[in-house]
Amino acid sequence: MHHTLWVLTGPTACDKTEIGFTVAQKIKGEIISADSMLFYRGMDIGTAKPSLDMRELVPHHFIDIVDPWESYSVGRYVDDVESLIDAADSKDRKFLIVGGSPLYVKGLVDGIFNGPEADWDIRRELEGLADEKGNQRVHDILQKIDPVKAAELHPNNLRRIIRAIEVYRITGKPVSELQEEYKLARKSYQFNILCIAREREDIYRRINERVEIMFDKGLVDEVQSLLDNPGGLSKQAKQALGYKEIIQYLDGGLTLDDAKEMVKQSTRRFAKRQMTWFRRFPDVQWLETEELEGPESISDEIITLLDANLH
């Protein structure tokens, strides 16, 4: 089955959430979130999570799916999104992918072949062989079963060589063949990427406003209660924009004003990195916006683009 998927992305604080919501509501669609920080339950203020009202009006997927002490990888995310889209009843469903986490957007667009779970016995056996007889000996094994993959990997890239042998032993198929099959299966996905472009000054002003609002809404209390939870925070969650700086403040390493300034600064840096990433994406359609242009007119522009493609 052929899937045409629309991705709405752009730097942090550019109104993606509101715009995506408005579009989804008008086309009676559903939103697939591509924002790695919205996965976590209880991390609401610092992630500017869509409100419960919004989530009642439009189905949102991949929000509040893991606890803050758990981790969730790009590979798992791509698998889960593909399962959702391929579900039998998705024929009449319209999905709009909304989010600004470049790795997750890239993962969706390029696909990630995961392969079977690790088999530690196989790994230990091959690592032992490498220690005893050298990496070349392990590379020779791969050469016999999967010459295509072996040609790609240098004998010193032991981790990936072992993984390729492991996949072959578990599935009976060369990993190069499985990856080709996966690529073909993904040919049925066509991605249209829309990226909201705002002037740098406009984005920075919006970021500063957003950070002030987060502090007013009680970001410090939110972080404190997350830290008080027996589960604590995973390494991933601890690195979240805004949370990392508040943790430093709560540890006594920063004043509140310094923490606030640091959150603004890290968020500006992140927005800059996002734009660098988005410029590298192939075939992006840029949505040029005026400084004070609100979500409404940008949403209309997107709906016009969708309509042109649907008919």
Side-chain angles (χ1 to χ4, degrees):
M1 201 175 113
H2 190 78
H3 298 288
T4 300
L5 296 164
W6 290 80
V7 180
L8 175 64
T9 192
T12 189
C14 71
D15 277 347
K16 287 187 294 295
T17 306
E18 291 78 2
I19 294 165
F21 168 75
T22 309
V23 171
Q25 213 182 2
K26 286 186 180 166
I27 65 169
K28 297 194 169 38
E30 302 172 46
I31 286 174
I32 291 175
S33 174
D35 185 322
S36 61
M37 287 310 143
L38 299 188
F39 299 149
Y40 296 108
R41 298 183 192 107
M43 293 175 69
D44 303 331
I45 299 171
T47 58
K49 206 170 264 180
S51 69
L52 290 171
D53 290 348
M54 288 164 89
R55 287 150 72 185
E56 270 176 19
L57 290 165
V58 167
H60 283 67
H61 303 274
F62 300 95
I63 293 180
D64 293 342
I65 53 168
V66 289
D67 284 314
W69 51 87
E70 299 175 316
S71 60
Y72 188 66
S73 68
V74 181
R76 253 184 75 193
Y77 170 73
V78 172
D79 266 359
D80 292 347
V81 173
E82 287 178 3
S83 307
L84 171 70
I85 293 166
D86 290 336
D89 65 343
S90 71
K91 285 186 282 294
D92 309 317
R93 293 164 74 180
K94 297 185 192 119
F95 294 108
L96 179 65
I97 297 161
V98 181
S101 296
L103 279 176
Y104 287 77
V105 175
K106 189 175 164 30
L108 283 179
V109 174
D110 294 346
I112 292 172
F113 169 73
N114 279 327
E117 291 286 309
D119 181 320
W120 294 100
D121 291 337
I122 295 176
R123 290 189 182 184
R124 273 190 287 272
E125 175 207 326
L126 293 167
E127 278 162 6
L129 182 65
D131 285 344
E132 212 179 308
K133 307 270 175 152
N135 293 354
Q136 187 60 52
R137 177 64 67 89
V138 184
H139 192 269
D140 292 343
I141 297 174
L142 183 62
Q143 181 62 46
K144 286 195 186 74
I145 56 177
D146 189 352
V148 178
K149 200 72 196 163
E152 271 176 40
L153 299 173
H154 187 276
N156 290 343
N157 198 341
L158 191 63
R159 198 172 60 87
R160 294 197 43 208
I161 293 168
I162 289 177
R163 173 63 178 157
I165 298 170
E166 171 189 50
V167 169
Y168 179 78
R169 287 204 190 160
I170 296 168
T171 63
K173 282 185 168 184
V175 73
S176 57
E177 201 178 297
L178 291 170
Q179 284 172 331
E180 270 314 303
E181 284 173 14
Y182 176 75
K183 272 192 195 131
L184 282 172
R186 278 195 64 92
K187 287 254 190 295
S188 64
Y189 290 95
Q190 188 207 334
F191 289 91
N192 297 329
I193 306 175
L194 303 174
C195 187
I196 298 166
R198 288 191 180 276
E199 293 294 325
R200 182 174 291 180
E201 295 314 312
D202 189 19
I203 282 289
Y204 288 177
R205 179 181 58 77
R206 285 164 173 274
I207 287 172
N208 293 344
E209 276 173 23
R210 175 184 268 193
V211 171
E212 291 291 343
I213 292 168
M214 285 176 178
F215 274 84
D216 292 346
K217 278 188 176 169
L219 179 58
V220 174
D221 292 341
E222 177 172 278
V223 177
Q224 185 64 68
S225 69
L226 288 163
L227 292 171
D228 289 344
N229 192 301
L233 287 168
S234 70
K235 208 171 90 195
Q236 251 177 324
K238 268 199 176 120
Q239 290 305 307
L241 217 56
Y243 291 81
K244 192 166 107 183
E245 295 79 4
I246 304 286
I247 292 169
Q248 276 178 285
Y249 156 70
L250 291 169
D251 285 347
L254 290 172
T255 67
L256 190 59
D257 281 345
D258 285 347
K260 195 186 276 187
E261 270 320 299
M262 274 180 74
V263 174
K264 289 178 181 175
Q265 199 183 359
S266 338
T267 312
R268 288 196 297 266
R269 274 202 205 114
F270 177 57
K272 221 165 136 179
R273 278 205 308 278
Q274 285 173 303
M275 290 308 284
T276 306
W277 267 93
F278 301 145
R279 286 192 197 101
R280 285 194 205 130
F281 283 153
D283 311 326
V284 172
Q285 279 182 280
W286 293 93
L287 299 166
E288 303 292 341
T289 55
E290 299 300 316
E291 183 164 354
L292 294 168
E293 196 174 342
E296 201 56 45
S297 64
I298 303 167
S299 308
D300 290 341
E301 198 181 326
I302 293 171
I303 287 166
T304 311
L305 284 171
L306 293 180
D307 282 345
N309 277 269
L310 293 174
H311 302 307

